[in-house]
Amino acid sequence: MSSQITPEEEEARGKVPVPDHVQDAVRTLLEWSGDDPDREGLLDTPKRVARAWKEYCEGYAEDPAVHLSRVFEEVGGYEELVLLKDIPFHSHCEHHMAPIIGKAAIAYLPTNRVVGISKLARVLHGYARRLQVQERLTAEVADCIWENLEPRGVAVVIEASHSCMTARGVRTPGVGMVTSRMMGTFLEDQRSRKEVLSLMGY
Ligand SMILES: [Zn+2]
């Protein structure tokens, strides 16, 4: 097999142990792709792939709502828009396990609960670091903010390119997909919706 390092030594170095059956699955995929899993350059690939996937999908191990549990209720009566835009993210599509690379804009109209601005990005990453479809990712981020901050409105717009479209199948590089979810004021009031979309750059 690949290296002389034992699983115990690897664990001691802080690396996640990778069970044999997981490595075997990656070897099978390498073979299926047309390569030889026993050639030198690929010997450690099964372990690397397995660990990379643990990282790509680390969102499964968390509840993104925890990032919204610490709120500031003393915001001096601030009730105007809070907007975080151009938040880059990585995800993987559940149909091909291929990369989805994009950016998100997240806005809400607080009532009396405001969170630190980085928390909105953490909610996004918590859902993005799972196997996803873009529509569900958009909805999950919006719902999470809606339920936990109880704001007057939430707007989430996600723009992403899907490798399963750009690198295979129809092969259309540069194509971006845009999804949005509007709730509360942004859903009901066209003027608010236009305003938030224009601030987001749409
Ligand atoms: Zn796909």
Side-chain angles (χ1 to χ4, degrees):
M1 276 293 295
S2 53
S3 57
Q4 286 79 34
I5 309 163
T6 67
E8 290 74 24
E9 283 168 328
E10 284 191 314
E11 226 181 325
R13 291 181 197 180
K15 289 192 169 177
V16 185
V18 180
D20 285 345
H21 71 279
V22 178
Q23 294 190 53
D24 289 344
V26 181
R27 283 176 56 86
T28 302
L29 194 57
L30 287 168
E31 220 161 1
W32 167 252
S33 305
D35 215 318
D36 169 16
D38 290 318
R39 76 175 169 85
E40 211 191 334
L42 293 180
L43 287 182
D44 285 331
T45 298
K47 268 187 202 166
R48 289 196 197 100
V49 171
R51 291 194 177 114
W53 274 100
K54 265 284 177 230
E55 218 174 309
Y56 300 151
C57 289
E58 65 193 3
Y60 287 123
E62 69 169 87
D63 173 10
V66 299
H67 303 300
L68 302 180
S69 59
R70 267 200 64 200
V71 297
F72 306 109
E73 301 203 342
E74 287 294 319
V75 288
Y78 187 84
E79 290 195 334
E80 301 304 313
L81 187 76
V82 178
L83 165 66
L84 193 61
K85 62 177 189 173
D86 297 326
I87 318 163
F89 74 91
H90 275 75
S91 188
H92 287 84
C93 83
E94 68 182 24
H95 302 132
H96 304 90
M97 297 173 78
I100 301 173
I101 295 164
K103 59 174 188 168
I106 303 173
Y108 69 104
L109 275 169
T111 38
N112 60 343
R113 292 181 185 178
V114 171
V115 282
I117 197 96
S118 70
K119 306 299 182 191
L120 299 178
R122 286 180 189 275
V123 170
L124 170 71
H125 297 314
Y127 288 112
R129 289 178 164 262
R130 301 172 184 206
L131 296 176
Q132 274 292 3
V133 296
Q134 189 177 324
E135 295 86 340
R136 189 175 62 228
L137 174 62
T138 311
E140 282 176 340
V141 172
D143 290 351
C144 185
I145 295 165
W146 182 251
E147 281 161 24
N148 290 279
L149 298 186
E150 296 176 357
R152 285 177 291 138
V154 178
V156 177
V157 179
I158 292 181
E159 194 174 344
S161 92
H162 294 239
S163 302
C164 58
M165 251 187 93
T166 57
R168 59 158 291 285
V170 289
R171 292 193 182 135
T172 42
V175 170
M177 175 170 156
V178 180
T179 47
S180 71
R181 177 123 161 149
M182 302 286 156
M183 305 175 87
T185 309
F186 298 124
L187 181 68
E188 290 145 21
D189 179 38
Q190 203 184 359
R191 217 173 49 112
S192 304
R193 182 163 64 243
K194 273 192 175 163
E195 192 189 338
V196 76
L197 285 171
S198 115
L199 286 167
M200 285 172 168
Y202 292 98

